[in-house]
């Protein structure tokens, strides 16, 4: 049975949460550790967050693990993040599979080391029929690159200009088949999108917390969901309460 926070009605739980897991580096530096220690602590927190996501009853979780811009970080940090991805698959795949998590990847897989590609594809294949939680891992991902890639594929497929609609674009994105994120959480207090899901975030609600990612715990996650539950999502229209009032 999913544990639902008492103050949040089931229909107010977001279907899709996306997270920009920021602040690992600063978390580590504050403690006098190398930046990679922050990414390791962030990975531990990711494990806890996935569990909480299932417990809260959220169906889709998208995490920003490595952007196409992150290649510009010091080589030891890039190598460390590549290692973490493989290590997470090696250590966690069976448990995630048992828990009913379906793993998907968004981003340019073909630009990663062939050994990593193989591991990712194996994880996707193993978990493809799971449906308790869909976990999209954005790795070697950027929103602009995703749109460029979609346009290239549409042209290659000979799609006529008049057939290019919102729905058509959705079908060509890495996130095809995933609903748009209802709630985007960003840790470490930064107020920017950082090239994450730039198409899909058109009407997403935001929750920004000053906590660094390794410190983002279940209580803060609950606060994010409670805040979201109180938002009036109007999608550019007026609220239903206002509409009723004006019709009365
Ligand atoms: C941003 O913090 C975080 C990242 C670029 C990496 C996020 C990766 C993890 C949490 C590990 C999980 C990874 C996988 C592959 C499953 P930052 O380093 O930019 O922090 P800073 O802004 O304080 O420097």
């Amino acid at each position: 049975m999913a544990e639902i926070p008492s103050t949040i009605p089931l229909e107010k739980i977001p279907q899709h949460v996306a997270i920009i897991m920021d602040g690992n580096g600063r978390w580590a530096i504050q403690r006098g550790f190398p930046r990679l220690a922050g990414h390791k602590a962030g990975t531990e927190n990711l494990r806890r967050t996935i569990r909480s996501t299932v417990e809260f009853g959220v169906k889709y979780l998208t995490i920003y693990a490595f952007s196409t811009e992150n290649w510009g970080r010091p080589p030891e940090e890039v190598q460390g993040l590549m290692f973490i991805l493989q290590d997470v698959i090696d250590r966690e795949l069976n448990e995630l599979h048992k828990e009913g998590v379906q793993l998907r990847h968004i981003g340019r897989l073909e630009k990663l080391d062939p050994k990593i590609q193989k591991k990712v594809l194996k994880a996707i294949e193993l978990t493809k029929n799971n449906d308790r939680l869909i976990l999209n891992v954005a790795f070697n991902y950027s929103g602009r690159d995703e749109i460029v890639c979609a346009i290239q594929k549409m042209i290659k497929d000979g799609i006529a200009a008049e057939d290019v609609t919102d729905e058509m674009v959705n079908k060509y994105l890495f996130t095809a088949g995933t609903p748009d994120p209802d709630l985007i959480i960003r840790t470490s207090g930064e107020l920017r999108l950082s090239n994450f899901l730039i198409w899909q975030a058109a009407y997403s609600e935001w929750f920004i917390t000053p906590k660094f990612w390794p410190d983002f715990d279940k209580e803060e996650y609950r606060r994010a969901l409670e805040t979201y539950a109180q938002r009036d999502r109007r999608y550019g229209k007026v609220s239903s309460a206002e509409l009723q009032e004006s019709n009365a």
Side-chain angles (χ1 to χ4, degrees):
M1 191 46 196
E3 180 204 332
I4 305 298
S6 53
T7 53
I8 309 179
L10 194 53
E11 70 278 9
K12 293 276 190 179
I13 294 286
Q15 190 184 13
H16 181 181
V17 171
I19 307 183
I20 302 177
M21 308 179 288
D22 197 11
N24 291 343
R26 277 165 286 168
W27 182 92
I29 302 300
Q30 266 190 359
R31 288 163 176 75
F33 299 152
R35 291 177 55 82
L36 257 181
H39 294 314
K40 286 194 187 125
T43 307
E44 289 305 310
N45 195 39
L46 179 58
R47 180 187 294 124
R48 295 189 288 270
T49 304
I50 294 170
R51 197 167 305 132
S52 302
T53 303
V54 172
E55 288 172 9
F56 285 138
V58 172
K59 292 308 277 184
Y60 294 83
L61 175 66
T62 300
I63 50 156
Y64 205 5
F66 190 88
S67 79
T68 53
E69 288 82 17
N70 288 154
W71 290 108
R73 293 190 173 206
E76 61 278 12
E77 186 171 345
V78 171
Q79 282 318 308
L81 287 164
M82 295 295 151
F83 174 80
I84 285 177
L85 176 62
Q86 298 177 72
D87 195 49
V88 164
I89 296 176
D90 289 344
R91 285 172 194 245
E92 307 293 334
L93 183 60
N94 286 339
E95 186 62 27
L96 289 169
H97 183 43
K98 252 194 353 226
E99 290 288 318
V101 176
Q102 182 187 140
L103 274 161
R104 292 184 190 168
H105 169 260
I106 60 172
R108 297 264 190 177
L109 190 60
E110 71 279 11
K111 300 253 170 81
L112 299 176
D113 182 290
K115 206 171 119 209
I116 302 183
Q117 291 184 37
K118 222 169 122 191
K119 274 193 204 286
V120 172
L121 291 172
K122 186 184 134 207
I124 293 171
E125 179 60 28
L126 177 73
T127 62
K128 68 179 181 199
N129 295 320
N130 296 341
D131 63 0
R132 199 153 168 227
L133 173 71
I134 312 297
L135 175 62
N136 284 315
V137 180
F139 199 96
N140 198 24
Y141 171 89
S142 90
R144 284 190 177 181
D145 183 53
E146 177 178 39
I147 292 171
V148 168
C149 191
I151 295 169
Q152 288 173 342
K153 283 192 262 179
M154 280 189 276
I155 292 171
K156 279 191 195 141
D157 284 357
I159 304 291
E162 58 273 21
D163 292 333
V164 179
T165 56
D166 264 34
E167 292 70 33
M168 179 65 79
V169 174
N170 277 327
K171 280 190 197 146
Y172 276 88
L173 295 174
F174 296 133
T175 52
T178 301
D180 287 344
D182 301 295
L183 173 65
I184 301 179
I185 296 171
R186 182 166 189 150
T187 56
S188 94
E190 308 289 358
L191 300 174
R192 48 177 179 265
L193 185 53
S194 298
N195 220 345
F196 185 47
L197 302 176
I198 57 177
W199 170 278
Q200 299 87 337
Y203 279 100
S204 302
E205 298 293 328
W206 281 85
F207 180 84
I208 311 278
T209 167
K211 284 182 185 272
F212 293 142
W213 171 249
D215 294 330
F216 179 83
D217 56 12
K218 194 171 180 186
E219 277 320 295
E220 193 66 357
Y221 198 172
R222 193 186 297 266
R223 245 189 301 282
L225 297 183
E226 281 168 354
T227 306
Y228 169 81
Q230 278 156 27
R231 300 272 172 88
D232 178 22
R233 302 188 73 188
R234 295 190 295 276
Y235 301 94
K237 302 179 185 127
V238 296
S239 70
S240 46
E242 259 183 280
L243 202 61
Q244 271 171 4
E245 244 172 61
S246 68
N247 287 339

